[in-house]
Each structure stands twice: as C-alpha cells, then as structure tokens.
Amino acid sequence: MKGPLFYSKILLFGEYGIIKDSKGLSIPYSFFKGALKTDENPSESAQKSNKSLKTYVEYLRKLEKEEQGLVSFDLQTLEEDVANGMYFDSSIPQGYGIGSSGALVAAIYDKYATDKITVLENLTREKLLKLKEIFGKMESFFHGKSSGLDPLNSYLSLPILINSKDNIESTSIPSQNKEGKGAVFLLDSGIIGETAPMVQLFMEKMKQEGFRNMVKNKFIKHTDACVEDFLNGNVKSLFGNLKQLSHVVFDNFKPMIPSKFHQLWKQGIDTNDYYLKLCGSGGGGYILGFTQDLDKAKKALEGHNLEVVYNF
C-alpha cells in the first residue's frame, strides 16, 4: 500500500511576518516528498513513524470532538491502518523549515477526512481559509500553534499568496528561466532547528515597542515589497529589497541565524554576491539564498552545498 505523494514547501517570503499580517509567498518544492505506506518488514524509522501516528490518531479523535463541524475523519479505517503498521515514508528532513509535518497532515487529510474539500473543485477564498483552519488545528499536534499554511501548500501543490491572515489565494509565479544566471537556493546549516522555541522568542521580543516598530516599519515593509517584486518579475527591484530585508534580519533576528553563518550572512550583504534570509523559523535547518549570479555565489560559499530551487 502506498498513498499519493505530498511535497515539501518553501516559504520564500513571510517567515515571522505572516504572524503579524505581512504578505507571504509559499511554493511547493518537489525535491522532497512523503507518502503513507505499509511494509512487510518495516525499518526502524518506519516503526518510529508508526508509533507517533498512533498518538496522532488519539489527537485527531479529540480534535473531532472539540471542533465539531470543522472536520471529521474515518477514524476506524485510520486506526486499523495504523495498527497494521502504516507509517509516513518521507524524504523531507525534519526541523529544516520546509514542511515535514505539513506533508504528513496533508496526506492524512487527503486519505481519511470525510466530506473533504478537494483540489479539483473551485477553490474559493472561503474554502481555502477553511482548509487552512483545519490544517492549522491538525498540525498544532506537531509544533504548538500552526498557521496551517504548510499542509495547505503540500495538499494543493500550488504556490500560495498570503495577503493577510484572512486573505489567501493560490497564485502563479513567473516561469523559471533555466538559462538565467540568477537563482534562489537552499543552504544547509547542518543543524536541526526547533520551530516552537524560535516562535516563542519572537513573541517575547514583540513585547518590546522598539522591536514591534522595526517589524512593522522595516521587516514587513521589505517582505511585502519582495513578494510584489517576485510575482511581477521585477528582478532589479527585488534584489534591492532583498538586500534591505537581509540586513534587517541580520540586525534584529540574530538568535534565529546559526552563529557560524553570521559572517557569511554579512559577507553577502557587503559584496552583493548573494543575500541570505531565514527559511521557516530559523535556528537551524535551511537558510534561503538569492543571487543574480549563481557562479559567483557558489565561489563565495565554497564548501557549502547549494540546492537550487528556482532560476531567474
């Protein structure tokens, strides 16, 4: 038994900002994926995944009771499948900010939700918001409060534009220029990041007026501009805004940047060879990079593995 594939996601813009109503842009990333399956001789990781699914079934049972009318599942079948050793077979690294729990949530909803909203119907804003709410509640099991965006992206396999908390839409992004020199890339920090403590730290900082003003007047301003530029294909303006955004993050979000990357982060801003930004909540996992000249960036970041996500 093997279910359909669900992809990882990359939040190109909007990390932390979307908690405070900035714009955001999230795209599916098909390099990593996961599916529900059952094996005759499960590996150790399959057994571990199966064990956590057992706990998850209990959580969904509780969710169904507490949120009546929001979502219901065929819990009997799900329970039987889990008892028969079903697990989530995934190549998506955990703690890397690219939606490992999101893909699992999407797979469970797809297979076991009764009366589900499907990808094939006309996805009105109401339906998207309802899916996002359901997914947020389903994903909260994995790391505290969830926006529901990761599973939504994985479930729909479409880029999602976040205009504000209550206004999201599926969107299309400019088609890639495979011959182009510019690129968006992932940089592996080699450290596993934990979402919950990073978000908690952000919320603590938000209690300071100075930090709140910086988020509103600088961080969100540049994030929104980057989203607009990216969607409209304004590459020159995009890189101007990216530089500002990278700077704001470097000055104000230091704890979210793994310390061994502080110097590389600043080097990018100083040389303009590339700009780095957080991918997800930071603290480890992947770091996102943007460059107008991939060869230059590769030279400057020698010794690091660059995984290209999109070409300009």
Side-chain angles (χ1 to χ4, degrees), residues 35-308:
L36 292 166
K37 62 191 281 201
T38 310
D39 284 345
E40 288 290 310
N41 299 305
S43 65
E44 200 177 317
S45 63
Q47 288 172 21
K48 200 171 148 196
S49 165
N50 173 257
K51 199 172 159 189
S52 88
L53 279 179
K54 282 187 178 130
T55 328
Y56 191 45
V57 174
E58 288 316 306
Y59 173 80
L60 294 179
R61 191 184 298 284
K62 210 169 96 203
L63 177 66
E64 206 180 77
K65 276 203 187 81
E66 284 170 6
E67 300 282 343
Q68 281 190 357
L70 179 68
V71 63
S72 58
F73 302 94
D74 179 355
L75 287 168
Q76 195 184 339
T77 309
L78 173 55
E79 214 163 81
E80 283 166 10
D81 288 346
V82 171
N84 289 328
M86 182 177 78
Y87 67 100
F88 191 58
D89 181 26
S90 166
S91 65
I92 308 169
Q94 289 185 355
Y96 263 67
I98 57 171
S100 54
S101 56
L104 167 58
V105 166
I108 294 280
Y109 178 83
D110 180 61
K111 188 157 189 207
Y112 298 101
T114 53
D115 196 23
K116 67 178 181 187
I117 296 168
T118 72
V119 186
L120 301 169
E121 57 199 82
N122 176 16
L123 288 167
T124 58
R125 186 174 294 169
E126 286 69 35
K127 282 180 185 169
L128 283 173
L129 282 172
K130 175 147 193 208
L131 269 175
K132 180 175 173 285
E133 187 190 353
I134 290 168
F135 287 150
K137 295 273 191 334
M138 285 176 72
E139 198 183 29
S140 293
F141 171 79
F142 297 98
H143 49 65
K145 198 170 173 345
S146 157
S147 68
L149 276 168
D150 289 6
L152 185 64
N153 204 301
S154 193
Y155 183 63
L156 300 177
S157 251
L158 293 166
I160 291 169
L161 170 64
I162 301 118
N163 294 303
S164 66
K165 274 197 191 75
D166 306 321
N167 182 350
I168 55 174
E169 55 189 300
S170 57
T171 186
S172 56
I173 56 176
S175 50
Q176 298 196 50
N177 173 10
K178 288 290 185 194
E179 306 302 306
K181 285 170 76 172
V184 183
F185 58 87
L186 291 174
L187 196 60
D188 188 345
S189 72
I191 307 162
I192 289 178
E194 291 267 346
T195 301
M198 289 293 143
V199 173
Q200 211 173 343
L201 187 64
F202 175 76
M203 290 311 202
E204 276 302 307
K205 281 174 168 281
M206 282 301 281
K207 290 175 183 169
Q208 303 159 16
E209 193 185 350
F211 190 83
R212 276 203 305 278
N213 289 338
M214 175 280 301
V215 166
K216 188 172 153 207
N217 302 323
K218 292 183 175 170
F219 186 64
I220 288 181
K221 182 182 135 192
H222 296 309
T223 295
D224 288 0
C226 282
V227 171
E228 292 293 327
D229 287 341
F230 188 88
L231 288 176
N232 295 320
N234 300 335
V235 176
K236 195 168 178 237
S237 172
L238 170 67
F239 276 86
N241 280 307
L242 273 166
K243 181 171 186 169
Q244 303 279 0
L245 184 60
S246 188
H247 221 303
V248 169
V249 172
F250 187 71
D251 293 342
N252 301 282
F253 289 79
K254 274 259 176 48
M256 284 78 165
I257 304 170
S259 52
K260 62 175 185 181
F261 285 88
H262 287 183
Q263 198 264 323
L264 282 178
W265 200 288
K266 189 168 180 329
Q267 177 184 299
I269 297 167
D270 293 345
T271 61
N272 299 316
D273 286 347
Y274 57 86
Y275 303 126
L276 300 180
K277 65 181 288 297
L278 297 172
C279 178
S281 54
Y286 284 118
I287 292 167
L288 259 178
F290 291 77
T291 179
Q292 285 181 284
D293 187 333
L294 187 59
D295 291 337
K296 240 186 192 165
K298 276 183 175 164
K299 261 200 196 85
L301 295 164
E302 214 176 340
H304 291 276
N305 182 18
L306 273 58
E307 193 76 62
V308 174

